[in-house]
Amino acid sequence: MSTSERDHERGDQRERTSHGSFGEYGGQYVPEAVMPALQELEDAYERYVLENEDGFMDEFRERLRDFGGRPTPLQRADRLSERYGREIYLKREDLVHGGAHKLNNALGQVLLAKYMGKERIVAETGAGQHGTATAMAAAHLDVPCEIYMGRTDVNRQRPNVYRMRMNGAQVNPVDAGSGTLKEAINETMRDWSTTVETSHYVIGSVVGPHPFPAMVRDFQAVISDEAREQLLESAGRLPDTVIACAGGGSNTMGAFDAFIPDADVDLVAVEAGGSSLEIDEGDGIAPNSATLSTGSDGVLHGAMTKLLQSDDGQIMESHSVSAGLDYAGVGPELSHLVETGRVRPVNVDDETALEAFHRLSTLEGIIPALESSHALGYLERAAGPAAKTSNEQHAQEAAEEGLGDLVVVNVSGRGDKDLETVLEETEARDLAAAPDVEVFDS
Amino acid sequence: MSDDRDDSSDRPAVDSEIEAAIYENHPALIAYITAGDPSLEDTKAYVEALDRGGADLIELGLPFSEPIAEGPTIQGAINRALAAGTTPAGFFDLVDGLETDAPLLVMTYYNMLLQFGAEADVRPFVERAADAGISGVIVPDLPAEEAEPLCAACDEFGLDVVFIVAPTTEGDRLETIMSRASGFVYVQARLGTTGARADVSSATHDSLERLEGHSDVPKAVGFGVSKGDHAAEIVEAGADGVIVGSALVDIVAAHGSDGDAPAAADLEEKARELKAGAERAAADADATDGEQERTPEPEHP
Ligand SMILES: Cc1ncc(COP(=O)(O)O)c(C=O)c1O
């Protein structure tokens, strides 16, 4: 698509985000102290991102290319195509500098903070992927940076903690609650409400108060802008289905954005089904992070959206084998797109994701992030050999869903950060697709 | 009170018990504790102790799992209350059984209001709060821009919505907030989260000055107040009320759950110290400057 067409659609999107709301979702539910900062950010977003004032977007695109390594390939996956009996293309966000799509947003926001004259960056991180990307962008652009990360995530994502520190960021472990993303966000909000006059909070997904969901989507839209163009060039047509995993939903929105006006393209958001979809109300624990499939409307971290919550309104502890999907909320625009039927929410469990992790690694020589493995796990469930032969519920569902002949899967990141978790989890189970992991014991 | 109110806002005037309590007991002490910390039984005893000790308004925190505006002290209290099984239903049962001179406010996060009742709607919560005799609500994650539904429900049931003004609040936003304010305006003394501090922020004076001439709704200052001397400083700076939370929660926390009697006695004494500090400053101001324009005088004999 030409740039002018693209800009035209951007105009439509602004319509969609008027007053910071996507249908009944979105808004700005934050302490009063940060409201003026949100107004300042909204103003900067409109001028620099939407209007390209001072050539901001030009500089952003140039840095995405030279520092970030964009465009990423849209690769035809031969053995997956064979396995699933249709054309499977992988959008290789694992090849972005840092190893995940997260850099697209982090670079955009740190650059914007510089244009706004902010002196300091704070950010939260779950998998550590966003923290790593933010630390890299902050080092690249020479801005001091402090990152909050839940204690549980610090323990399961060590390599990323080291990487953040190598890039000069301060990493603050958060001990509250279950020590995952939700607690890290709370703590970063607190820091920000104290330092709001000089700091910018780089939110890591399409969540939080307006303008974050719209702005992060715009920075991530480069994924689908490229994929759409690349596919038109190589296959000469649009895909039947685009599949992406959804934690907060930033790679999801990034992979979907350019296809939203293409009504024939099926958009599938794959959430973490964890170990079960059942919820233990008494303990306030959801053994999954399937917000779009099972959540209800409420307000968390600055926005009205779908949430995992008790009947009383307490936010549940969520679970996923993948740290980056382990969040009780989801972006408000994604909630809206699910509500209107444009995006189809599905979920796969920990085991299916782990199997998909091994499958892509052995079949294609690509080690995907555990987050991305959820998207690949759904592909197996909907179109794999079992789906063809068995008539269990999933297979039936898949037949009804019909992925079509041309499918794009967003590989949001690479799995190096997950190796320890994968070894541990694989050893504890009997996985069909897994190699022998006992050789790693010594 | 409501009759004296500047009615330039388009909200219908409500008969405000909260404003009455502040004017009649000027300068007022506003005390916060978290309901259910360490149990709802204890909270009942603590609220009554604060009432005896001279608190003119009592804010009861209804615990929410993600209290983004609170510091470690109140977050700890909320965690203890949730661990003890505190629910909105239990909270309202507690309030039903309270008899205090001081009017009560509920302080909680927006999602708690939304989820009370079947639909995502604040009205059932406000109705139940009114039923229990609560006079106002404070919702720290609800800025004026998003407050229309809550204001409408509170108007319907005669509750005040207390808005927070931060050191960063200026210009049009300040105007909007002040035009919607009822009960009192919560002047946040410093940026950041709640928590007791060793001193009173120098931003307090500037904040109060900025509010002058906007509305004659009483102004109360909080965030970091822990001693009688702080209360005195704040009243000297021109506040109509002093809000104290973390310093009281610290007392509750120090006693743990080994019986409420000593904690209640300490809370009562702390309230006395804070109220005395506020009154001392007010008396000094009256003695040194009779003409200085002040907030409306108490109408009580
Ligand atoms: C590789 C990768 N994919 C996906 C996600 C999930 O986030 P989102 O849904 O916002 O893209 C993360 C989060 O850390 C991630 O690291």
Side-chain angles (χ1 to χ4, degrees), chain B residues 179-200:
Chain B
S179 72
R180 290 195 167 194
S182 60
F184 65 92
V185 176
Y186 190 133
V187 182
Q188 184 181 328
R190 61 183 89 227
L191 287 178
T193 52
T194 54
R197 313 290 162 102
D199 58 357
V200 169

Side-chain angles (χ1 to χ4, degrees), chain B residues 72-289:
Chain B
T73 305
I74 293 179
Q75 164 146 50
I78 287 171
N79 291 348
R80 289 189 295 273
L82 288 174
T86 308
T87 62
F91 172 86
F92 284 125
D93 287 347
L94 162 78
V95 178
D96 284 336
L98 283 172
E99 279 171 41
T100 59
D101 290 338
L104 300 171
L105 292 102
V106 55
M107 172 148 176
T108 193
Y109 287 76
Y110 197 48
N111 199 48
M112 296 302 293
L113 278 72
L114 281 176
Q115 305 309 327
F116 192 86
E119 294 291 305
D121 178 6
V122 297
R123 197 174 171 278
F125 182 95
V126 174
E127 183 171 16
R128 179 69 182 91
D131 247 16
I134 284 175
S135 307
V137 295
I138 307 181
V139 186
D141 64 342
L142 188 70
E145 284 81 349
E146 308 280 4
E148 205 42 62
L150 182 61
C151 287
C154 285
D155 278 347
E156 185 183 341
F157 294 103
L159 270 69
D160 286 332
V161 181
V162 171
F163 286 102
I164 296 171
V165 168
T168 46
T169 313
E170 285 172 349
D172 288 352
R173 299 208 61 256
L174 184 63
E175 213 131 288
T176 307
I177 294 171
M178 294 307 282
S179 72
R180 290 195 167 194
S182 60
F184 65 92
V185 176
Y186 190 133
V187 182
Q188 184 181 328
R190 61 183 89 227
L191 287 178
T193 52
T194 54
R197 313 290 162 102
D199 58 357
V200 169
S201 168
S202 56
T204 303
H205 206 273
D206 296 346
S207 296
L208 285 168
E209 225 162 49
R210 256 185 307 130
L211 301 192
E212 238 159 61
H214 276 284
S215 153
D216 57 9
V217 174
K219 293 144 199 80
V221 175
F223 268 52
V225 183
S226 67
K227 301 195 282 206
D229 289 346
H230 297 164
E233 261 182 79
I234 284 167
V235 170
E236 257 163 46
D240 303 299
V242 177
I243 309 166
V244 184
S246 293
L248 303 174
V249 170
D250 277 335
I251 293 173
V252 172
H255 284 277
S257 46
D258 27 303
D260 53 56
D266 287 0
L267 285 168
E268 184 175 340
E269 190 185 314
K270 191 72 185 174
R272 281 222 166 79
E273 174 199 332
L274 291 158
K275 178 73 181 176
E279 281 177 338
R280 182 164 77 246
D284 286 353
D286 281 347
T288 53
D289 192 354

Side-chain angles (χ1 to χ4, degrees), chain A residues 100-102 127 129 205 245-252 324-325 369 371 412-413 417:
Chain A
H101 70 293
K102 297 280 177 186
Q129 228 29 61
S205 191
C245 69
S250 71
N251 86 91
T252 331
L325 300 185
E371 291 81 4
S412 55
K417 68 185 175 65

Side-chain angles (χ1 to χ4, degrees), chain A residues 66-295:
Chain A
D66 297 345
F67 177 69
R70 300 209 72 93
T72 60
L74 181 74
Q75 180 206 343
R76 183 180 187 277
D78 294 339
R79 293 185 67 192
L80 289 191
S81 297
E82 197 178 311
R83 180 177 180 89
Y84 298 123
R86 64 200 80 211
E87 298 289 302
I88 307 294
Y89 283 84
L90 304 176
K91 182 58 176 165
R92 297 288 309 277
E93 291 302 292
D94 58 311
L95 294 178
V96 177
H97 177 49
H101 70 293
K102 297 280 177 186
L103 185 78
N104 305 327
N105 167 46
L107 191 61
Q109 284 200 51
V110 176
L111 188 64
L112 188 66
K114 268 199 107 140
Y115 273 61
M116 292 170 72
K118 297 287 175 183
E119 297 160 12
R120 171 179 176 264
I121 295 295
V122 288
E124 88 292 334
T125 196
Q129 228 29 61
H130 170 60
T132 300
T134 305
M136 285 171 172
H140 172 63
L141 293 163
D142 191 21
V143 193
C145 171
E146 219 167 303
I147 312 261
Y148 292 89
M149 186 170 186
R151 179 74 71 181
T152 308
D153 289 337
V154 166
N155 292 335
R156 61 177 164 175
Q157 302 287 330
R158 294 231 154 247
N160 275 335
V161 177
Y162 298 143
R163 292 205 291 170
M164 287 183 257
R165 291 177 53 178
M166 294 299 159
N167 286 129
Q170 185 177 323
V171 181
N172 305 320
V174 179
D175 285 313
S178 63
T180 60
L181 182 58
K182 164 167 89 66
E183 287 78 22
I185 294 179
N186 291 340
E187 212 50 44
T188 318
M189 286 255 189
R190 292 186 180 122
D191 179 315
W192 194 39
S193 67
T194 313
T195 60
V196 63
E197 288 159 311
T198 52
S199 300
H200 174 68
Y201 176 5
V202 180
I203 288 188
S205 191
V206 286
V207 300
H210 179 68
F212 283 102
M215 182 175 72
V216 175
R217 173 204 64 210
D218 289 353
F219 289 142
Q220 292 292 1
V222 65
I223 301 173
S224 50
D225 284 350
E226 285 176 9
R228 197 174 187 282
E229 207 168 301
Q230 288 164 324
L231 197 64
L232 286 175
E233 202 161 290
S234 59
R237 70 171 184 100
L238 293 175
D240 296 307
T241 305
V242 180
I243 304 174
C245 69
S250 71
N251 86 91
T252 331
M253 285 310 306
F256 292 173
D257 191 64
F259 298 107
I260 287 175
D262 305 316
D264 290 343
V265 179
D266 191 17
L267 305 174
V268 182
V270 189
E271 299 191 288
S275 57
S276 162
L277 288 186
E278 298 297 315
I279 278 174
D280 186 336
E281 273 269 355
D283 284 346
I285 291 172
N288 62 71
S289 307
T291 318
L292 291 167
S293 323
T294 69

